[in-house]
Each structure stands twice: as structure tokens, then as C-alpha cells.
Amino acid sequence: QVQLQESGPGLVKPSETLSLTCTVSGGSVSTYYWSWIRQPPGKGLEWIGYMYNHGGSKYNPSLKSRVSISLDISRNQFSLTMNSVTAADTAVYYCAKEVVVPGSMDHWFDPWGQGILVTVSS
Amino acid sequence: QSVLTQPPSVSGAPGQGVTISCTGTSSNIGAGYDVQWYQRLPGTAPKLLIYGHNNRPSRVPDRFSGSKSGTSASLAIAGLQAEDEADYYCQSYDSSLSGWVFGGGTKLTVL
């Protein structure tokens, strides 16, 4: 059974880079699609993007210029990097396994990590 | 403002049934994309409740069911139990935004 756990700094200064890591157990990051999703305080969930082995990726167009997701197969982890952060990037960040139906855009997310609160503030 | 619209809250008494709506547009639900539902119990990670055309993971009781019509979808919960008190989110794909989108979430209170 796949389990995920986010880690990283809980506080990032404005204009700096946010870096989070998701450690996967019970499955290999070399298979499946791996995603990041966030939820700002008092707002809904927002899909950030996914990465899969062999370098394939897709990002939310509204965030694409600032984000990158990478895989570390040796450590069975995947990471999120977001640059030039502002207060609007304050959110709980979740990592998740993205379930993909071949040939379809009908994807869903299962399971999810517990989430990590990242606050952007000086 | 979330792409998919959900009521902020619903409530029901134990044993009763409730329905949570999820309203989209012609570029997401109305375009025929599936709607998924997630449950987030207090202090825990979201969990998949319904996927595809009303499919449930084996751990989810059949009291939970999903449906879709036009540009809207619904999650029905029958025989409410105290343990169902949680936040519920819908999710689909949006072709105009070229990405996966969620509703704002609905808080279910079991009276």
C-alpha cells in the first residue's frame, strides 16, 4: 500500500524559492504519476502539476512559469520547487499519486500525503 | 473562486440522507469528463471516495454514491453516521484550463 509524506520548511521569505519533498513508501516512484496539490487558507484545492518517470510532466498553466517537479528514484522521492513566492503561495501543500486512465484525461488522486503548511512571510 | 462550485455546508441527522452538488461548465463536467469525490476527515489527508463513473474503492461503503447530469454532479450519502462528518471535494478535468480542477469543498455536519 502506497504511503506518502511531505517534508520541507514551513516558512519561506517572499521572492525566495519554496522546496518540498515527498517520500514514497510501499511503491516505486519509477512507476505511476506523482502530483502536488495545494490549498490556501479558506480556499479550495488547486492542482499544481505531475511528473512521471522518463521525464514526462504537466503543470497548471497558471503556475507553469514558476514550478518544477522532479523525481529522485534512488531515494524514492519526488520534489516540488516553486520560485519567486509571494504571500499568495501560503497554503497546505499535498503530494499525491495521480491515477491515470490511458488515453483519457480522467485522472484522480489516491492516496494523498498528510499535507504540510507553508507560510510565505518575511 | 474555485472552478467547480459546491455549497459551503450541508447537514443532516443520523440515519438520514444528504446530497452534495458540484456545478461545473461545458469545459469540464459538461464536456463529459468524470467527476471524482474526496472526503477529508478533521486533521487527516483527503481520501478518494468516488472515481470514474460512480466507482468506489473497496474500503468505501456503498452508502456513498455519485451521479452526473449535464454540467453538474452530485454525491449522495445514505444513512448518515457521525463518522461521516467531514469536508467533501469534487474534482474533474477542465479542457479550457488544460488541467485538473476541484470544487471549493462542502462541510457536512451530522446533527
Side-chain angles (χ1 to χ4, degrees):
Chain A
Q1 181 176 348
V2 173
Q3 293 184 306
L4 303 97
Q5 179 66 57
E6 304 88 349
S7 61
L11 181 64
V12 181
K13 289 183 168 54
S15 79
E16 295 191 345
T17 297
L18 177 160
S19 295
L20 297 175
T21 297
C22 183
T23 301
V24 178
S25 58
S28 172
V29 296
S30 61
T31 56
Y32 306 118
Y33 287 51
W34 303 98
S35 300
W36 287 95
I37 297 159
R38 70 179 182 178
Q39 184 169 31
K43 297 187 179 182
L45 294 161
E46 179 179 37
W47 173 76
I48 298 172
Y50 70 64
M51 165 68 74
Y52 63 95
N53 202 11
H54 308 300
S57 63
K58 184 176 173 66
Y59 299 106
N60 187 323
S62 70
L63 298 170
K64 186 176 182 179
S65 64
R66 298 195 294 127
V67 302
S68 175
I69 299 173
S70 59
L71 299 183
D72 186 336
I73 296 175
S74 65
R75 295 186 177 187
N76 217 35
Q77 296 175 331
F78 64 103
S79 298
L80 169 71
T81 300
M82 178 182 294
N83 56 39
S84 305
V85 298
T86 69
D89 295 311
T90 294
V92 175
Y93 286 76
Y94 296 97
C95 58
K97 181 167 72 73
E98 185 160 340
V99 180
V100 174
V101 177
S104 166
M105 303 309 288
D106 289 317
H107 298 188
W108 53 89
F109 306 93
D110 182 46
W112 299 51
Q114 283 289 104
I116 183 170
L117 173 62
V118 178
T119 301
V120 179
S121 175
S122 55
Chain B
Q1 198 80 325
S2 298
V3 175
L4 304 178
T5 301
Q6 299 179 234
S9 63
V10 297
S11 62
Q16 289 186 335
V18 296
T19 299
I20 298 173
S21 62
C22 175
T23 302
T25 66
S26 59
S27 63
N28 42 66
I29 300 175
Y33 296 109
D34 283 340
V35 178
Q36 280 64 239
W37 291 90
Y38 301 86
Q39 176 193 59
R40 186 171 65 190
L41 297 167
T44 69
K47 288 185 178 177
L48 181 67
L49 208 56
I50 300 286
Y51 66 95
H53 181 64
N54 194 23
N55 298 300
R56 288 174 287 107
S58 56
R59 55 177 165 73
V60 176
D62 60 5
R63 300 187 296 105
F64 294 87
S65 62
S67 63
K68 189 176 74 168
S69 178
T71 58
S72 294
S74 295
L75 172 70
I77 309 173
L80 273 177
Q81 300 179 3
E83 66 202 48
D84 298 333
E85 191 160 284
D87 294 325
Y88 293 84
Y89 297 87
C90 59
Q91 173 253 312
S92 187
Y93 178 76
D94 191 290
S95 57
S96 292
L97 298 175
S98 191
W100 289 269
V101 294
F102 291 87
T106 297
K107 181 175 180 58
L108 169 64
T109 300
V110 180
L111 302 171

